[in-house]
């Protein structure tokens, strides 16, 4: 078993390790040991992060106070971490996935299955660059995805939550991943629609930006619910245009409606968009990000741009008024108020 | 044109009158005058409510500060209000609909169309008692419904919102209602699924009770999103069991996902359920209602009981863990914490 996780994403990666570790111990069909690749850091006291994780069984930097399980072993060496693993769990920011796959090429052999928890793949003009496809293409292995309304810190303290596993072909493999992640407080449902599930995890960030504008303009719950609904509809419509195999029912799953709700209630995309609208669009997203996010970047703003380019390229702008309006507000071409000033083009 | 509205519901009725009045003036296909039946009351200063509405063009008691439109005429006489009307809009608490229909029997003649904005019909063991069916049966006329994420006070000040018109047969009639209600800030979509749309307006209140429990127990956004999603799924599954013609797509409309969101973010069902959970279930709903709602009753608690009886009667309890758990928490048989302690029986 291998768990990849990097700094700045160590939070969700550590929680996923905790879920997996408890099941790996409990279920006889899995090896006990969960090896977790950790991007090495030296802590202020001079100790190495992996050493401290292995000594204390806590990710003291990214998930302090939570025991990961005694069968989790942190490993700073990527190649060593995947050695002999036959189940690979990817949890990193999406921009690192290309490099990681390159490093792993040829190192992963035999009957290996992968699952990606990576949200926010890029959407290029010629189509989205799915992380599950990247893994399959680069490593020659099958990859499922796991998405959903998953705020790491809430799952870490065992509050009830759900997730969706998207799979391409084998229901049996999907069921294995469901077994590995499910706990009484974390309910996982398999869905035969890997693209639909994965696209949800990316496109919802554009909806969160729209919801943040509504909050910043103090438009109330009615308007916010309407914008979230229209956003969900555009997510569904665009996913189906990009992949005709995508199913409507996927958007009723945790990865769909529930993740839209969570992301539009909390979340940094919503928060920074709220501040942007409060400033009347006068403070740029770059400025607000720098001030509010300590160097992290918002995925919603760049995804909105990527989506806009696809829509423009394909002649679909009119069909997606919310998505295109979000981008135009982000770039200053439209005022934040424009988020509710468009016609109802049925996507 | 006739608008029925009663005290305690005068808020939404008045807002609906305002929407209709603006379109009746603007569109040549409608008569200008909007006659609005108002349950007569004597105001503290001794004046009659209908007189004041007609003098000031405001419903000073239930929607103060908002001009209804100079073509709205308040009428305290039900029979007179519907005389010569060929479009009837019903907006009253659901428990008055039986009596109103009895009084109107035989008084409504010719080519008359109705629409019901009444949320929360009863769900009897032998099936739900749809208000649209009641109107059709008692008055011998066709009835559409209009539901959605519609907080009256937010629409009154022209904040962006949406609604869904459910129709049984004639798309043409549905389009007429859409014309009559739509404004640039109120977007209405017709859906060929009168039962699905109407059931949404009732069942969402049970979901709001569940969301209130989650809030009261301070379980966080993840859990709340999961509970809202499961609630939406059970709404859909139960509606389809009761009426096989109900469509999945209806639950993506404003009456479905958006109304669930609005009702679970604000709303009195959520608020009282939150207080109930905060008290550990020790204060009864009756007590909390009396204290928090000035004599009004929650629809969610009684709907949860009615739904439980249907599920029990039909042997469907296991298929609807959220709905049945809500009722058992309301009656004290289960603790509020039980809202997240059930197995995932796929509805």
């Amino acid at each position: 078993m291998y768990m990849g996780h990097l700094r700045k994403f160590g939070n969700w990666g550590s929680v996923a390790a905790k879920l997996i570790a408890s099941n790996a111990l409990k279920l006889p069909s899995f090896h006990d040991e969960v090896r977790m690749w950790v991007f090495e850091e030296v802590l202020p006291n001079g100790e190495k992060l992996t050493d401290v994780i292995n000594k204390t069984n806590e990710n003291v930097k990214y998930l302090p106070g939570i025991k990961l399980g005694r069968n989790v072993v942190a490993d700073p060496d990527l190649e060593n971490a995947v050695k002999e693993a036959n189940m690979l769990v990817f949890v990193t920011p999406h921009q690192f996935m290309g490099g990681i796959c390159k490093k792993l090429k040829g190192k992963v052999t035999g009957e290996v299955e992968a699952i990606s928890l990576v949200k926010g793949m890029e959407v290029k003009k010629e189509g989205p660059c799915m992380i599950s496809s990247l893994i399959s293409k680069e490593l020659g292995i099958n990859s499922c995805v796991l998405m959903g309304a998953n705020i790491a810190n809430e799952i870490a303290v065992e509050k009830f939550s759900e997730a969706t596993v998207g799979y391409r072909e084998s229901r049996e493999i999907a069921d294995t991943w469901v077994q590995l992640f499910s706990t009484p407080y974390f309910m996982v449902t398999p869905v035969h629609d890997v693209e639909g599930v994965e696209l949800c995890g990316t496109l919802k960030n554009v909806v969160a930006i729209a919801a943040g504008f509504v909050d910043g303009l103090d438009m109330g719950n009615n308007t916010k619910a309407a914008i979230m609904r229209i956003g969900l509809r555009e997510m569904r419509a665009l996913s189906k245009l990009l992949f005709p195999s995508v199913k409507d029912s996927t958007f009723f799953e945790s990865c769909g409606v529930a993740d839209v709700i969570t992301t539009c209630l909390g979340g940094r995309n919503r928060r920074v968009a709220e501040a942007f609208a409060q400033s009347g669009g006068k403070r740029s997203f770059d400025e607000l990000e720098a001030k509010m996010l300590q160097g992290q970047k918002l995925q919603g703003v760049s995804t909105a741009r990527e989506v806009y380019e696809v829509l423009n390229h394909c002649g679909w702008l009119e069909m997606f008024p919310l998505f295109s309006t979000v981008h135009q507000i982000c770039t200053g071409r439209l005022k934040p108020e424009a988020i509710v000033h468009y016609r109802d083009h049925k996507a």
Side-chain angles (χ1 to χ4, degrees), chain A:
Chain A
M1 180 89 52
Y2 153 82
M3 287 276 321
H5 91 140
L6 265 171
R7 57 184 173 180
K8 285 195 181 144
F9 219 74
N11 193 233
W12 181 211
S14 299
V15 174
K18 175 179 186 279
L19 291 167
I20 291 171
S22 70
N23 285 319
L25 275 189
K26 210 169 54 189
L27 302 171
S29 49
F30 300 104
H31 295 294
D32 285 358
E33 189 182 280
V34 177
R35 233 177 309 150
M36 173 167 77
W37 173 54
V38 174
F39 190 91
E40 190 68 286
E41 297 181 52
V42 177
L43 298 175
N45 66 2
E47 286 189 283
K48 286 180 180 166
L49 179 56
T50 53
D51 288 342
V52 178
I53 291 175
N54 289 330
K55 203 168 62 189
T56 63
N57 200 228
E58 281 181 30
N59 189 335
V60 289
K61 180 143 186 196
Y62 298 109
L63 194 67
I66 304 291
K67 293 288 174 197
L68 299 179
R70 58 183 167 78
N71 49 330
V72 174
V73 179
D75 189 333
D77 180 337
L78 182 60
E79 270 187 51
N80 191 58
V82 302
K83 203 180 279 173
E84 288 170 14
N86 54 4
M87 299 184 80
L88 305 182
V89 180
F90 290 94
V91 200
T92 78
H94 73 272
Q95 56 268 33
F96 296 112
M97 277 304 296
I100 289 172
C101 283
K102 271 206 184 78
K103 275 192 198 152
L104 290 179
K105 213 167 184 167
K107 305 295 188 304
V108 173
T109 48
E111 295 228 343
V112 176
E113 286 288 336
I115 194 164
S116 166
L117 278 56
V118 181
K119 287 179 177 176
M121 80 273 185
E122 289 164 56
V123 183
K124 296 180 179 171
K125 252 182 222 174
E126 58 277 16
C129 175
M130 316 291 284
I131 303 294
S132 58
S133 305
L134 178 76
I135 293 170
S136 293
K137 210 175 63 184
E138 293 289 320
L139 306 182
I141 59 179
N142 178 51
S143 179
C144 292
V145 298
L146 182 143
M147 305 278 147
N150 305 140
I151 298 172
N153 288 328
E154 296 185 5
I155 303 168
V157 293
E158 308 196 356
K159 288 186 174 171
F160 178 75
S161 184
E162 295 185 300
T164 312
V165 162
Y167 65 97
R168 191 175 304 281
E169 275 163 22
S170 164
R171 168 70 189 239
E172 205 184 322
I173 299 294
D175 285 339
T176 307
W177 287 116
V178 168
Q179 271 194 308
L180 188 63
F181 279 95
S182 295
T183 71
Y185 59 89
F186 193 69
M187 266 179 11
V188 187
T189 306
V191 164
H192 185 194
D193 180 6
V194 68
E195 286 92 358
V197 174
E198 195 168 350
L199 277 163
C200 278
T202 296
L203 296 176
K204 57 142 198 187
N205 287 326
V206 184
V207 185
I209 299 278
F213 294 153
V214 172
D215 285 344
L217 297 168
D218 209 12
M219 287 176 170
N221 286 341
N222 247 3
T223 306
K224 190 164 174 183
I227 290 299
M228 288 162 71
R229 185 196 83 79
I230 294 169
L232 187 68
R233 191 184 71 199
E234 294 195 6
M235 285 167 60
R236 182 177 52 133
L238 181 56
S239 300
K240 289 172 80 169
L241 276 173
L242 294 170
F243 295 95
S245 63
V246 165
K247 295 174 181 167
D248 277 348
S249 55
T250 298
F251 298 83
F252 285 126
E253 297 293 340
S254 177
C255 63
V257 61
D259 203 8
V260 167
I261 293 171
T262 305
T263 314
C264 291
L265 292 186
R268 57 175 183 241
N269 286 285
R270 190 211 62 79
R271 194 155 50 91
V272 178
E274 182 181 35
F276 178 86
Q278 281 167 343
S279 82
K282 292 203 181 85
R283 304 180 66 182
S284 73
F285 269 99
D286 283 340
E287 181 198 339
L288 291 165
E289 278 171 6
K291 192 177 170 229
M292 298 173 74
L293 300 180
Q294 290 87 40
Q296 284 187 280
K297 281 280 174 188
L298 288 186
Q299 288 182 326
V301 173
S302 54
T303 306
R305 189 192 60 243
E306 293 163 9
V307 166
Y308 187 89
E309 283 165 11
V310 173
L311 299 179
N312 194 28
H313 179 74
C314 300
W316 296 340
L317 278 173
E318 291 250 310
M319 294 159 70
F320 295 90
L322 187 129
F323 283 169
S324 55
T325 301
V326 167
H327 173 64
Q328 291 176 294
I329 295 172
C330 289
T331 57
R333 253 178 287 165
L334 291 175
K335 292 261 160 219
E337 288 78 5
I339 196 64
V340 296
H341 291 155
Y342 51 78
R343 297 274 90 207
D344 182 31
H345 298 289
K346 268 278 175 193

